[in-house]
Amino acid sequence: MCCASFSVGIDCNSVEKKIYVDLNYTVPCVRLLNATHQIGCQSSLSGDVGVLHVLESEENLDWVLNTGHSPPYMVILEAELFTRSIMMKLKNGSRRVAGVAVIEPNTNLPGGFSPHTKCPNENTGVYTEKYDPALARCNATLWNPLGNGLSYEEFDFPIFSLKDDNDTQVIRQCYLDHNRGANGSIPEYPLCAMQLFSHMSAVTDTPTCIRRNKIQHDFSISPEMVCDPLGGQNIWTSTRPINNTEKGHKMFQSFVIAAARLDSRSFFFDLAPGAQSSASGLIALLAAAQALKNITEAAQPNKTILYAFFEGETFDYIGSSRMVYDMRNGQFVVDLDNVHSVVEVGQVGIRAENSQIWLHSDPVSRRNSSVDEEVKKLIVNFQAAAVNTNVSVQEPQESQPLPPASFQRFLRERPLPGIVIQDHASTFTNRYYESMFDNPENLNMSYPPDLTPEQKLNFVTETAKALADVATLIAQTLFLQAGGEAAQAPSITADPQIVTQLLYGFLVRSKNSWFEQISTVLSSINQSLIYSALQLHLDQSATFLVEYILANLTGKVVNVTQEDCKNQRENKDDKESKHMFSYAWVQGALAANSTERDSFCVRSSVRWSTAKSPAFDLEDLTSTDYSTWTESRWKKITGRIFLVASHDLEMLTLGVGIAILLVSLFLTYMISSKADILFCAGREPTSATY
């Protein structure tokens, strides 16, 4: 709609606001691409428009797909109807479907929902036909039986999530007032309609979009990229400082890698809290690192513990495959020969009282006697640590393969001893894997009703206590695995207060006093559910928040100026410390009765490394060994509702408008051609002569 401002003060915005009601909280499904195809959703360039239809049941689909008199339809789905069966029927009838809006409920669905596949990352893990055909493609264990695969389908219409708030009430009322005929009759115009904008720039597959990027870059003055490789930063630190400029093998040094993943995803962009699938393992390992800080500073064990937090694991193990690639090529601070063993913390947040933690290992690599011996020692360390905690541990059956885990990327390079700890023996206990419902409710997090946000931050929930027990188990096991004295292990305990603050900050409210004290990046992070920002896209502020948290939990406050801290040095003459340590100037707590903060500098060994798939560096965009996932760019994501007139009335209005235009042109022509007659001025009389 094109309009201009007039001197009387009527502008196009005021007219537009009278016509359209903008939707305030919309989260789209976006387009992703890999080496072979594209998945996700998009609208047309100008947005897709359809008449609203609130679907009441699957049987009601016939109105949308066949009998409705006013297609195309914009289908409004309650969350319980957001199933594969319904979505595939809408996809196959897409000529009559303009788009779908799913209403996000205030409580989780009772039966479970996972839009991921039944066998996550099946093509890029270690279990291939070459490694062991009997274990390939989840032949032995189906890890995610509730997976319906919707996240990996392609839809040629937009699909949005709407929060169940005032917007959805307006939509429902508009539908009832205009689109639902009385006593089953056909509704009369005007009808309530919705327009969704989510046009995606990239099409076909990753090789196509990267080629178009290159053409834009090489030949355009102001290039517009159409897609970006998924990726970000891995965050890592170690119990001994390592010179970050010296890459490759470290003579006479051995490392125990303690790993967890950073990212999560769901069907809808930026709506992936990942409470169980990612946050539980991340928080448990952060708390374990904090618990080990003092004892490893006082007396270093023989082996160094290297904590690694991998980004992009959901999309074919981007972060871990890059670290392994860099280790193999001498581009990381250690190499694979330095790796003694791996302990990975997976989904550990859903545990009933007295339930067990399961120790998963790889049956194929354990056919090597030396690897099997080291794995048995690692299991003994877990069992010894379990005696000192409220957690019991157990192994699944010997023939069972590893669940989806970053450790699989290490095993693709060589046999290594390692354990992946999970709260499930075989299939996931997480009924909402990689979905918008994998949220605090999924972890049974609850708070007394009358607490303020600050009180909730410090309230130790039962979930936090249980996760702190797991963190204690991890910390003691890592200490023993690194060669620490067994007599000292029972003194290592994770702090439930730290765990509850991490849970609240990652999953409930990021803008809280503790996160503000220990970081400087909160201004660019979502108000609540910041963990959804760990989904892979260009904004990496949440990943850097993890870096700040890890630095504060494992680092040391040093007395240096803000200038020296930001310049990565102890003083103006210090040229070496930046190679061994990183320095972060953090905001600190508010001073008493003041708006000023007591800022300070934290020195730690926390670093970040690139988490970008090697396929893009190798320019092997059809790789079957590495992730090739990219994300399309877009310019506009929005939605709005309005009343639409009937097609016949629109055609009549158009016809009348054209007729008026033609009559106007004809009259203008006639008046112009007779202008000398119609507008001729009378002659003045000539002057009289006397």
Side-chain angles (χ1 to χ4, degrees):
M1 180 173 63
C2 180
C3 47
S5 296
F6 300 100
S7 60
V8 294
I10 301 174
D11 59 46
C12 62
N13 286 332
S14 63
V15 174
E16 184 176 7
K17 287 178 180 178
K18 291 179 179 179
I19 298 174
Y20 299 106
V21 176
D22 291 326
L23 303 176
N24 297 315
Y25 186 89
T26 56
V27 182
C29 156
V30 301
R31 173 168 288 168
L32 302 172
L33 311 96
N34 65 10
T36 58
H37 62 289
Q38 63 188 22
I39 62 174
C41 324
Q42 77 152 358
S43 74
S44 61
L45 185 61
S46 58
D48 288 341
V49 178
V51 172
L52 282 180
H53 181 76
V54 177
L55 194 69
E56 297 174 351
S57 66
E58 187 165 356
E59 291 72 27
N60 190 231
L61 271 176
D62 189 60
W63 177 269
V64 175
L65 300 177
N66 298 304
T67 61
H69 293 79
S70 308
Y73 287 99
M74 193 68 69
V75 182
I76 311 299
L77 291 179
E78 298 291 345
E80 56 268 19
L81 295 178
F82 184 48
T83 64
R84 181 176 181 86
S85 172
I86 288 178
M87 291 305 300
M88 295 309 290
K89 288 177 182 178
L90 292 174
K91 175 181 176 178
N92 295 331
S94 59
R95 290 185 179 181
R96 292 177 57 91
V97 179
V100 174
V102 180
I103 298 176
E104 179 189 349
N106 295 319
T107 58
N108 283 355
L109 300 177
F113 175 81
S114 174
H116 209 281
T117 60
K118 296 182 184 297
C119 186
N121 287 358
E122 62 180 305
N123 297 316
T124 48
V126 70
Y127 298 112
T128 61
E129 298 292 338
K130 184 184 298 185
Y131 192 72
D132 190 326
L135 303 180
R137 303 187 183 281
C138 293
N139 287 334
T141 306
L142 197 63
W143 297 107
N144 186 33
L146 292 177
N148 59 36
L150 274 180
S151 288
Y152 291 85
E153 292 289 342
E154 180 190 0
F155 297 91
D156 58 3
F157 48 78
I159 304 176
F160 279 47
S161 171
L162 304 177
K163 200 170 185 65
D164 193 1
D165 57 9
N166 292 337
D167 278 352
T168 54
Q169 295 305 317
V170 170
I171 291 170
R172 288 188 179 104
Q173 194 60 48
C174 189
Y175 169 76
L176 292 174
D177 291 344
H178 298 278
N179 294 16
R180 192 166 187 172
N183 300 319
S185 62
I186 298 172
E188 297 180 357
Y189 286 94
L191 298 176
C192 191
M194 179 183 287
Q195 185 173 26
L196 297 179
F197 297 88
S198 63
H199 180 69
M200 300 288 133
S201 301
V203 295
T204 309
D205 52 34
T206 289
T208 301
C209 82
I210 295 297
R211 183 175 68 250
R212 292 178 178 176
N213 278 355
K214 190 174 187 304
I215 293 172
Q216 284 280 332
H217 181 271
D218 293 344
F219 297 104
S220 176
I221 298 175
S222 55
E224 291 189 7
M225 302 296 102
V226 297
C227 69
D228 299 286
L230 291 182
Q233 285 82 33
N234 295 325
I235 307 299
W236 64 271
T237 189
S238 57
T239 51
R240 282 189 179 89
I242 305 173
N243 191 323
N244 195 44
T245 62
E246 296 178 358
K247 308 296 185 183
H249 187 68
K250 298 291 182 287
M251 293 292 292
F252 311 115
Q253 294 190 46
S254 185
F255 292 79
V256 176
I257 294 181
R261 53 179 277 200
L262 286 170
D263 62 294
S264 62
R265 73 165 298 196
S266 80
F267 185 86
F268 297 104
F269 174 83
D270 219 13
L271 189 58
Q276 163 71 344
S277 61
S278 307
S280 63
L282 165 65
I283 291 169
L285 188 55
L286 286 171
Q290 191 271 339
L292 284 166
K293 173 190 172 184
N294 292 333
I295 197 167
T296 53
E297 285 180 350
Q300 284 283 354
N302 297 330
K303 303 179 187 69
T304 301
I305 302 171
L306 191 150
Y307 304 100
F309 299 89
F310 296 125
E311 182 77 285
E313 297 305 274
T314 304
F315 295 96
D316 295 334
Y317 306 118
I318 294 174
S320 55
S321 64
R322 181 54 186 250
M323 184 172 283
V324 171
Y325 175 83
D326 287 342
M327 285 181 175
R328 187 184 67 196
N329 291 286
Q331 297 300 312
F332 192 63
V333 292
V334 301
D335 66 8
L336 290 166
D337 290 331
N338 290 123
V339 178
H340 172 268
S341 53
V342 177
V343 174
E344 182 173 350
V345 187
Q347 302 182 86
V348 292
I350 301 178
R351 292 176 52 242
E353 188 175 354
N354 298 323
S355 65
Q356 297 165 324
I357 285 294
W358 295 86
L359 310 179
H360 296 264
S361 60
D362 172 43
V364 179
S365 61
R366 291 186 68 175
R367 295 168 189 167
N368 180 311
S369 59
S370 61
V371 171
D372 184 56
E373 183 178 349
E374 290 297 330
V375 171
K376 288 178 179 177
K377 291 179 181 178
L378 180 51
I379 292 171
V380 168
N381 287 334
F382 267 107
Q383 292 169 339
V387 172
N388 306 317
T389 67
N390 296 322
V391 182
S392 60
V393 296
Q394 187 170 336
E395 292 181 80
Q397 58 183 4
E398 292 183 2
S399 60
Q400 182 172 285
L402 286 171
S406 306
F407 180 43
Q408 293 196 29
R409 293 302 304 192
F410 287 84
L411 291 173
R412 281 180 71 119
E413 288 296 320
R414 62 175 61 180
L416 281 172
I419 290 290
V420 178
I421 72 168
Q422 303 271 9
D423 59 16
H424 56 85
S426 54
T427 59
F428 294 162
T429 56
N430 185 1
R431 294 178 296 124
Y432 305 102
Y433 183 74
E434 304 293 21
S435 80
M436 60 182 175
F437 305 116
D438 190 7
N439 53 26
E441 183 184 340
N442 192 29
L443 295 185
N444 296 315
M445 286 175 60
S446 60
Y447 300 90
D450 298 327
L451 296 185
T452 66
E454 190 67 20
Q455 290 171 330
K456 288 181 179 179
L457 170 66
N458 295 292
F459 180 81
V460 179
T461 62
E462 292 301 315
T463 301
K465 293 175 184 177
L467 201 55
D469 288 339
V470 176
T472 298
L473 171 74
I474 296 165
Q476 292 189 17
T477 301
L478 289 173
F479 181 72
L480 295 172
Q481 185 69 6
E485 293 291 334
Q488 294 179 293
S491 66
I492 303 170
T493 56
D495 186 356
Q497 188 69 45
I498 294 290
V499 174
T500 207
Q501 290 174 329
L502 288 169
L503 283 167
Y504 183 81
F506 279 128
L507 297 174
V508 181
R509 185 182 179 88
S510 68
K511 291 201 173 181
N512 60 72
S513 60
W514 187 55
F515 275 16
E516 288 174 348
Q517 289 175 30
I518 63 177
S519 70
T520 59
V521 299
L522 280 182
S523 59
S524 60
I525 296 181
N526 192 304
Q527 171 65 24
S528 55
L529 297 184
I530 64 119
Y531 201 70
S532 65
L534 297 182
Q535 198 177 15
L536 299 184
H537 49 86
L538 296 179
D539 178 13
Q540 294 295 324
S541 55
T543 304
F544 288 120
L545 176 59
V546 175
E547 183 180 3
Y548 273 97
I549 292 170
L550 185 59
N552 279 269
L553 293 179
T554 62
K556 179 181 180 181
V557 177
V558 290
N559 185 23
V560 302
T561 66
Q562 183 175 357
E563 180 184 359
D564 286 335
C565 188
K566 290 186 174 180
N567 285 304
Q568 302 293 301
R569 64 194 184 192
E570 300 276 339
N571 53 60
K572 291 183 179 179
D573 298 323
D574 181 12
K575 307 294 184 184
E576 300 300 324
S577 293
K578 64 182 180 181
H579 302 315
M580 303 297 294
F581 301 102
S582 63
Y583 295 79
W585 187 262
V586 298
Q587 296 184 111
L590 284 169
N593 301 319
S594 173
T595 57
E596 299 296 320
R597 290 185 175 273
D598 295 327
S599 301
F600 53 89
C601 184
V602 175
R603 184 184 71 190
S604 70
S605 57
V606 176
R607 305 281 186 175
W608 65 268
S609 62
T610 298
K612 180 181 178 182
S613 172
F616 296 99
D617 290 344
L618 298 170
E619 297 186 355
D620 183 9
L621 302 181
T622 58
S623 173
T624 56
D625 294 323
Y626 297 110
S627 170
T628 57
W629 286 106
T630 54
E631 182 179 79
S632 175
R633 290 196 180 188
W634 59 84
K635 292 183 178 179
K636 185 177 183 181
I637 299 290
T638 187
R640 58 190 185 181
I641 62 173
F642 56 95
L643 295 180
V644 62
S646 70
H647 182 70
D648 292 341
L649 180 57
E650 289 176 340
M651 291 298 101
L652 177 61
T653 304
L654 177 62
V656 171
I658 292 173
I660 292 173
L661 174 63
L662 294 175
V663 170
S664 299
L665 292 175
F666 176 75
L667 290 175
T668 301
Y669 171 76
M670 293 300 295
I671 292 171
S672 177
S673 64
K674 305 295 184 180
D676 56 338
I677 298 174
L678 296 174
F679 304 108
C680 179
R683 293 183 180 179
E684 294 184 4
T686 56
S687 300
T689 304
Y690 296 95

